[in-house]
Amino acid sequence: MINEERIQKSTTRVFKAVFPDSTNHYDTLFGGTAMHMMDEVAFITATRFTRKKVVTVSSDRIDFTKPIPAGTIIELIGKVVHIGNTSLKVLVEIYIEEMYSDVREQAITGTFTFVAIDEYKKPVKVL
């Protein structure tokens, strides 16, 4: 199916190191910083899928299941999980990797909804 191929091609992976300047007084990544990174990865994923201008219209449930400590590497993975007429949903997962071991675990998941728009900021078909 053509949509499955587009979904695979648009899946986005970004790695970042977590440094102390992006952590709170508990030495863990600020939640707002994580959400900012997630929205950016979701935007890139949605844009790569549609190849159209898109805007975030909502962030659905975001679950913070593990704190992300300074001195770790994180991977953000964005994948299209629903395609509507003018909108699409992108699931973003954040995984923590310890820098000096093979330990890897999921820390945050969230879904972001985007609408494709034209030059007049009016909704247009996603596909």
Side-chain angles (χ1 to χ4, degrees):
M1 182 181 255
I2 194 154
N3 283 345
E4 279 303 314
E5 187 177 325
R6 280 180 87 148
I7 289 170
Q8 288 301 90
K9 286 183 174 182
S10 66
T11 297
T12 302
R13 296 173 177 268
V14 172
F15 289 88
K16 294 192 173 278
V18 179
F19 294 112
D21 68 338
S22 61
T23 62
N24 59 29
H25 58 293
Y26 295 114
D27 208 25
T28 59
L29 186 68
F30 279 113
T33 302
M35 290 169 63
H36 171 89
M37 289 189 281
M38 292 173 79
D39 188 31
E40 184 176 353
V41 167
F43 168 79
I44 292 167
T45 304
T47 302
R48 292 178 71 211
F49 181 84
T50 64
R51 295 298 176 183
K52 297 182 180 182
K53 293 179 181 178
V54 295
V55 292
T56 307
V57 293
S58 73
S59 57
D60 303 336
R61 182 181 176 120
I62 297 177
D63 293 314
F64 297 82
T65 54
K66 297 238 183 244
I68 300 175
T72 56
I73 296 167
I74 57 173
E75 180 182 17
L76 297 98
I77 304 171
K79 183 176 182 179
V80 173
V81 292
H82 177 78
I83 305 157
N85 188 31
T86 60
S87 66
L88 69 157
K89 288 184 182 277
V90 176
L91 172 69
V92 179
E93 301 170 305
I94 298 183
Y95 291 87
I96 307 167
E97 290 187 11
E98 292 183 6
M99 283 196 188
Y100 308 110
S101 77
D102 290 331
V103 173
R104 175 183 166 90
E105 54 190 339
Q106 190 176 61
I108 305 173
T109 59
T111 307
F112 295 78
T113 303
F114 291 84
V115 169
I117 58 170
D118 64 16
E119 64 272 15
Y120 305 106
K121 299 185 175 129
K122 300 292 183 204
V124 295
K125 289 187 183 285
V126 168
L127 296 175

